[in-house]
Amino acid sequence: MSADRQIVLTRLIAAPAAKIWQCWTDPTILPQWFGPEGYHCTTKSIDLRQGGQWIFDMIGPDGKVWANRHRYTLSDPPKRLEFLMDDGDDADEPMRVVVVLEPEAGGTRITQTMTFPTVEMRDGALAYGADRLGQTTMAKLEAAAQSL
C-alpha cells in the first residue's frame, strides 16, 4: 500500500485555480516561491511542459545546497500536474508528486501528494520536518497566487 509511503499536503488558497496553475507552470514565477520559508532556488534549466524538466539547486537558510530535478509527466491545466522528483543522479528511484487543484468555496483546494520509493525514505523526510516545511511552501504559493 502506498499510503504508508506518502506525505499529503493540502491547503485552501483564496485564489482561482488559473492563478495557482500559473504559479506552478510559469518559469519566471515557480522559482520565486518554490521551497520552504527561508529557502530559495537557483535554476540551471527549466522547461515546465509535460515531458520537460526543471533542474535547480535548493539553498537552505544555512547555505546548504540540495540538487533537485523535477521531470514533468502529466500536465492537465488547470487541474492536475504530476512530476518525478529526485536529485538528478539517477542512483535512486524518484519520488512521485501529484498536485491537484479543485475549486472550492473561498478559492481553490490544492492537494499535493508525495509518494516516496520506500517507507524509510518517507519516515526520514518526516523526521526532517518535510510536512511542516511543506506547509510553509504552500503559504509561499498562496502569497504568489494572490499577488498575480
Side-chain angles (χ1 to χ4, degrees):
M1 180 176 193
S2 64
D4 62 349
R5 296 184 290 120
Q6 293 179 335
I7 295 175
V8 179
L9 303 173
T10 187
R11 185 180 187 98
L12 178 61
I13 294 178
K19 286 188 176 186
I20 298 167
W21 185 263
Q22 184 180 355
C23 290
W24 273 102
T25 59
D26 184 318
T28 60
I29 298 172
L30 178 63
Q32 294 177 14
W33 67 264
F34 191 83
E37 188 63 42
Y39 292 67
H40 68 278
C41 298
T42 303
T43 297
K44 296 178 179 181
S45 67
I46 190 166
D47 179 355
L48 301 175
R49 297 171 296 172
Q50 185 169 314
Q53 63 183 6
W54 179 29
I55 299 172
F56 63 100
D57 288 333
M58 183 170 293
I59 297 114
D62 60 357
K64 184 173 179 178
V65 176
W66 289 274
N68 277 264
R69 175 177 62 177
H70 294 182
R71 290 176 284 163
Y72 295 90
T73 57
L74 177 73
S75 180
D76 183 12
K79 300 181 287 189
R80 187 179 183 99
L81 184 66
E82 297 182 11
F83 57 94
L84 301 175
M85 187 167 91
D86 59 23
D87 63 6
D89 73 1
D90 294 320
D92 297 310
E93 184 181 342
M95 180 187 339
R96 182 172 179 254
V97 180
V98 177
V99 177
V100 176
L101 304 177
E102 298 173 299
E104 189 174 303
T108 304
R109 170 75 52 192
I110 181 170
T111 303
Q112 179 175 318
T113 304
M114 298 167 283
T115 304
F116 292 79
T118 67
V119 172
E120 294 75 22
M121 288 177 77
R122 191 277 319 255
D123 290 349
L126 286 172
Y128 181 77
D131 49 345
R132 177 184 51 78
L133 293 170
Q135 287 299 336
T136 71
T137 300
M138 291 280 193
K140 289 170 65 180
L141 168 59
E142 181 168 25
Q146 290 176 341
S147 72
L148 293 178

